[in-house]
Amino acid sequence: MTLRILLNLSPDYRALWHQPLASALADAGVSAELCDRPGGPVDYVVHAPNGPVQDFSTLPGLRAVLNIWAGVDKVLHNPTLDVPLARMVDPGLTEAMVEYVTAHVLRHHIGMDRDIANPGHDWVQRPVPLARERPVGILGLGVLGAACARALSALNFPVTGWSRSPKTLPGVASFAGEAGLHKVLSRAQMLVALLPETPATTEILNARTLAMLPRGAFVINPGRGPLIDDTALLAALDSGQIAHATLDVFRSEPLPKAHPYWAHPKVTVTPHAAADTRALTAVPVIVENIRRDQAGEPLLHRVDRDLGY
């Protein structure tokens, strides 16, 4: 039997994914036809939320939607989605996220911006605390958050994490619930947001919770834009409660040119570039899920629609 797989991707992504996926399927002994547009029955959709097909009811025979993005908030509530949905857990994406988070934590920890932007050529020696003196909090201890927590802990940062339920990570103190959130925030001189977007996490960083952070804390958000109340963050930056915010994700993308984040001297904007799905490292995950489904085995990283991830 030859499977029919729709690559519901933007044209530039299709060009990157077609050959690696075709080769990996052939190597796995899976007979498959890769198509770029619907027309007739489809067994699986390799899906990006910005792909051209948004109505899954037009795809007869569909067995599963295999998302290539880590986030599923753009597809989870699609009313035409009535088959299993798998999110992407890509080893390459995880590595990239660890590198992005570690780089910006170290950047703010060492105070690199002061030396890079020094128009007066001032010779000012400033003592820098050791990593073990700089507590880091991570909101979200899923695959990405846990990997970042391990990397930062290995550099001697005291790391605490918060998630829906407590996790067990060597060297990382894990908390859950409202009281746990307060514990993490109250000690985090650096805060990294890596939560999924759900009704429970929307604007979890707001005026009340930002005020729980130590004054002069740094915020790094490569998770989801709606985790932050933008108005509250701008007010916290202006008051000095937050020393700097490094933001990679936003409610509206591309970030509108008139948005105050662009011009704010205490904000670093990166263009949703912290971690991208890489075809060469993600294709094996797609192929394994197809193999599993064909063998009657559970999908890897199947989304729980009640939890939202």
Side-chain angles (χ1 to χ4, degrees):
M1 180 181 69
T2 298
L3 301 175
R4 195 159 184 266
I5 301 172
L6 173 64
L7 299 185
N8 187 35
L9 312 174
S10 60
D12 53 338
Y13 262 65
R14 282 200 300 268
L16 293 173
W17 278 73
H18 193 284
Q19 187 54 51
L21 183 56
S23 297
L25 287 165
D27 291 344
V30 177
S31 176
E33 172 196 355
L34 303 184
C35 54
D36 294 342
R37 54 182 57 84
V42 168
D43 295 288
Y44 301 98
V45 174
V46 176
H47 179 73
N50 62 353
V53 176
Q54 298 297 324
D55 185 354
F56 297 113
S57 69
T58 64
L59 307 174
L62 184 61
R63 296 179 59 88
V65 172
L66 309 175
N67 209 49
I68 71 165
W69 292 7
V72 294
D73 46 279
K74 304 297 184 186
V75 63
L76 183 62
H77 303 296
N78 186 321
T80 68
L81 179 68
D82 60 1
V83 297
L85 169 67
R87 61 190 173 89
M88 175 52 65
V89 176
D90 167 21
L93 185 151
T94 302
E95 288 179 39
M97 183 63 77
V98 168
E99 292 171 7
Y100 179 94
V101 168
T102 302
H104 285 286
V105 166
L106 287 171
R107 165 197 168 200
H108 295 311
H109 167 63
I110 295 171
M112 294 172 63
D113 290 5
R114 292 175 304 196
D115 298 320
I116 293 170
N118 186 7
H121 302 162
D122 298 319
W123 185 271
V124 180
Q125 294 178 311
R126 304 176 182 91
V128 176
L130 296 172
R132 59 184 170 85
E133 300 171 308
R134 181 87 76 178
V136 176
I138 297 183
L139 302 184
L141 290 176
V143 173
L144 298 177
C148 292
R150 285 191 292 267
L152 293 170
S153 179
L155 292 172
N156 291 330
F157 288 100
V159 179
T160 58
W162 184 87
S163 52
R164 184 181 62 86
S165 57
K167 301 292 195 304
T168 301
L169 288 172
V172 177
S174 173
F175 297 93
E178 181 66 25
L181 180 62
H182 184 272
K183 285 182 179 179
V184 172
L185 294 178
S186 65
R187 66 185 68 174
Q189 294 180 22
M190 303 269 185
L191 184 70
V192 180
L194 280 169
L195 289 162
E197 180 187 342
T198 70
T201 64
T202 297
E203 295 193 353
I204 193 169
L205 292 179
N206 51 49
R208 180 181 67 87
T209 53
L210 289 169
M212 295 178 186
L213 291 162
R215 185 170 179 81
F218 296 85
V219 171
I220 301 169
N221 182 23
R224 287 287 173 265
L227 300 179
I228 292 178
D229 177 336
D230 294 329
T231 301
L233 177 59
L234 286 165
L237 289 162
D238 289 340
S239 72
Q241 170 62 15
I242 302 301
H244 197 100
T246 294
L247 309 174
D248 187 59
V249 286
F250 307 92
R251 293 172 183 273
S252 178
E253 295 184 2
L255 185 66
K257 293 185 182 299
H259 196 286
Y261 281 150
W262 282 115
H264 202 289
K266 296 181 180 179
V267 175
T268 298
V269 171
T270 59
H272 203 143
D276 198 9
T277 304
R278 290 154 167 79
L280 288 178
T281 52
V283 156
V285 181
I286 297 289
V287 173
E288 173 61 11
N289 261 342
I290 292 172
R291 184 204 68 75
R292 281 172 167 262
D293 187 65
Q294 289 293 301
E297 300 173 12
L299 294 174
L300 295 171
H301 319 305
R302 180 170 175 171
V303 173
D304 184 320
R305 299 191 190 186
D306 292 332
L307 296 179
Y309 56 90

